[in-house]
Amino acid sequence: MAAAWSFHSVARAPPPLRGFHGRKVHCCSAAPPGAASTTSSYSKKWRQDFHVSELSEESVKGLYQTGKAYVHDFFDIYGRPVLIVVASKHFPSKQDPVENEKLCAFLVEKALSRLPLGTENILGIFDLRGFQVENGDLQFLKFLIDVFYYYYPKRLGQVLFVDAPFVFQPMWQLVKPLLKQYASLVRFCDAETVRKEYFTENTVPPDFRN
């Protein structure tokens, strides 16, 4: 019953993406396929609309302090910066969607700023342990997909969905088609796989230690 309610609740059509001051932001579905120069211009406009250069830890501290998302202090074993999202701390009915988008943009920029020489993409980890119906947010996931698909193309190396519960499956069925070719980057795994295959004993994120 819970899963069915989850599917119904996230299936509502989200409003158009907008910038921090109410301006509309073009999403990936509006992009002409394969147009690199257009992608670059849209990315520049998005950064301007979202005032990305003005974002700081102080400007997003309200949600940042919840621990719902953060950039890990260490790289994975492939030398990639790691962006971690803790789904059980995301409450779309209680948290401002614009502030969520600002936090997302800030953390993506922070992760990319840490790219070592010779590394082009980052690892995204969605910690789905404890995920409940109230944590589901299709609108935000569509925003996140747009961010990586359109504004930061080829910057996402892999996405781990960790310990996804049954109630997450309806959400995945809605999100998977939106990912397009990025769907191949998604891997469902457990916390032990994260520990053993992506980090060393000294670099594993605290939330994934035994």
Side-chain angles (χ1 to χ4, degrees), residues 116-170:
L117 188 64
T119 302
E120 297 183 349
N121 49 53
I122 68 175
L123 172 67
I125 299 179
F126 282 80
D127 185 352
L128 296 172
R129 292 172 295 181
F131 177 91
Q132 299 292 331
V133 169
E134 58 265 30
N135 305 126
D137 189 352
L138 182 61
Q139 179 180 342
F140 178 72
L141 284 175
K142 291 176 81 171
F143 167 80
L144 189 60
I145 292 168
D146 279 340
V147 165
F148 279 108
Y149 181 85
Y150 199 66
Y151 307 122
Y152 297 95
K154 300 182 180 179
R155 291 302 193 182
L156 191 59
Q158 190 173 23
V159 180
L160 305 180
F161 283 173
V162 183
D163 288 320
F166 175 74
V167 296
F168 179 74
Q169 294 308 312

Side-chain angles (χ1 to χ4, degrees), residues 36-104:
S37 60
T38 303
T39 297
S40 178
S41 63
Y42 274 101
S43 177
K44 183 177 180 179
K45 184 181 186 307
W46 178 79
R47 292 175 64 85
Q48 292 172 342
D49 284 350
F50 266 62
H51 300 270
V52 171
S53 63
E54 300 173 17
L55 294 176
S56 66
E57 189 170 318
E58 178 67 21
S59 69
V60 298
K61 69 177 182 179
L63 287 180
Y64 187 73
Q65 291 176 345
T66 67
K68 65 186 293 180
Y70 59 95
V71 176
H72 183 40
D73 291 336
F74 298 97
F75 299 147
D76 69 0
I77 62 171
Y78 303 104
R80 300 176 296 194
V82 181
L83 176 57
I84 299 176
V85 176
V86 183
S88 63
K89 296 182 180 180
H90 181 70
F91 296 97
S93 64
K94 301 177 182 178
Q95 297 166 343
D96 186 336
V98 173
E99 294 303 310
N100 278 320
E101 292 173 4
K102 288 170 65 176
L103 177 63
C104 172

Side-chain angles (χ1 to χ4, degrees), residues 14-29:
L17 295 176
R18 296 179 181 273
F20 293 159
H21 296 284
R23 291 191 292 266
K24 289 185 179 180
V25 178
H26 297 276
C27 67
C28 64
S29 59

